[in-house]
Amino acid sequence: MASYRIRQYRDQDYDAVRTLFARGILEHAPAGYRHVLRSARAQLGLLVLFAAARAAAGCWVLGLGAVALALVATWLVVRSFSSSYVCQALSTDLCDIPASYLRAPDSCFWVAEAGGAVVGMVAVAPPEDPAERGVALELKRMSVSKDYRGRGISKALCGEVLRFARARGYGAVVLSTSMVQVAAQQLYEGQGFRKVGAFSPSLLGSLLCFKIFHYRCDLPSRAVTPPR
């Protein structure tokens, strides 16, 4: 028997859901930072900075100091990138969850509960892309507490969204996830999603070589029982 249960969001879940979402996003900041530092653009920039600082000061120690400052600045930028995304979500749809997902048409919000605590969450709503509206629904705000991963909760939450969309006659579910969320990508691909696009969310994202992956899962149509 599963040690958790999936249920619809309640008003008393508000603080737990917002905290879970914020922690889930911010924990990916170190992975994003490592990704930036592995890029050829960043490595070349640090090398040029070191050489320029050493040449200007005539001291390799100052060159290393300049690189260290650049590394700290890069971390702060990456961290602020994640923080800005969290703030944007908390001030929009996660500010009034019932209005965004429970009273809105073709929308819903579920939580995973274990031991009386909210340990997972997911939402579904019509996609923002006008080309997808009426055809697909969008899986949003998926997050599972670190202490409860590996227990099938993410898969169960994803299944709720897929069943919800199919029951309402939609032909697909779409979602977006960042390139550094490798575990999430593996989960979605295991549930039948396929990557259909990639884009940088902003100019800053382009400079940081950061991309968002767009996924789509085409749902099988309901079998129609022939009349007797």
Side-chain angles (χ1 to χ4, degrees), residues 4-87:
Y4 61 88
R5 68 185 182 110
I6 308 297
R7 60 169 175 78
Q8 195 173 102
Y9 170 88
R10 300 170 185 163
D11 288 340
Q12 57 264 38
D13 302 325
Y14 183 75
D15 291 335
V17 160
R18 286 163 59 89
T19 299
L20 178 63
F21 173 77
R23 288 177 177 170
I25 294 299
L26 294 177
E27 74 178 36
H28 294 293
Y33 181 60
R34 291 191 296 270
H35 166 75
V36 171
L37 296 185
R38 283 195 296 265
S39 70
R41 182 181 299 174
Q43 293 175 5
L44 178 60
L46 291 173
L47 180 61
V48 170
L49 176 62
F50 172 78
R54 181 181 180 185
C59 177
W60 65 268
V61 174
L62 291 179
L64 289 177
V67 169
L69 289 175
L71 291 174
V72 171
T74 301
W75 164 249
L76 293 176
V77 169
V78 171
R79 174 77 178 187
S80 69
F81 192 77
S82 298
S83 299
S84 296
Y85 177 74
V86 169
C87 290

Side-chain angles (χ1 to χ4, degrees), residues 90 101 115 119 124 138 142 145 154 202 205 215 218 220:
L90 295 182
Y101 295 108
V119 299
V124 65
E138 183 176 2
M142 170 76 85
S145 174
S154 296
S202 63
Y215 278 84
D218 292 311

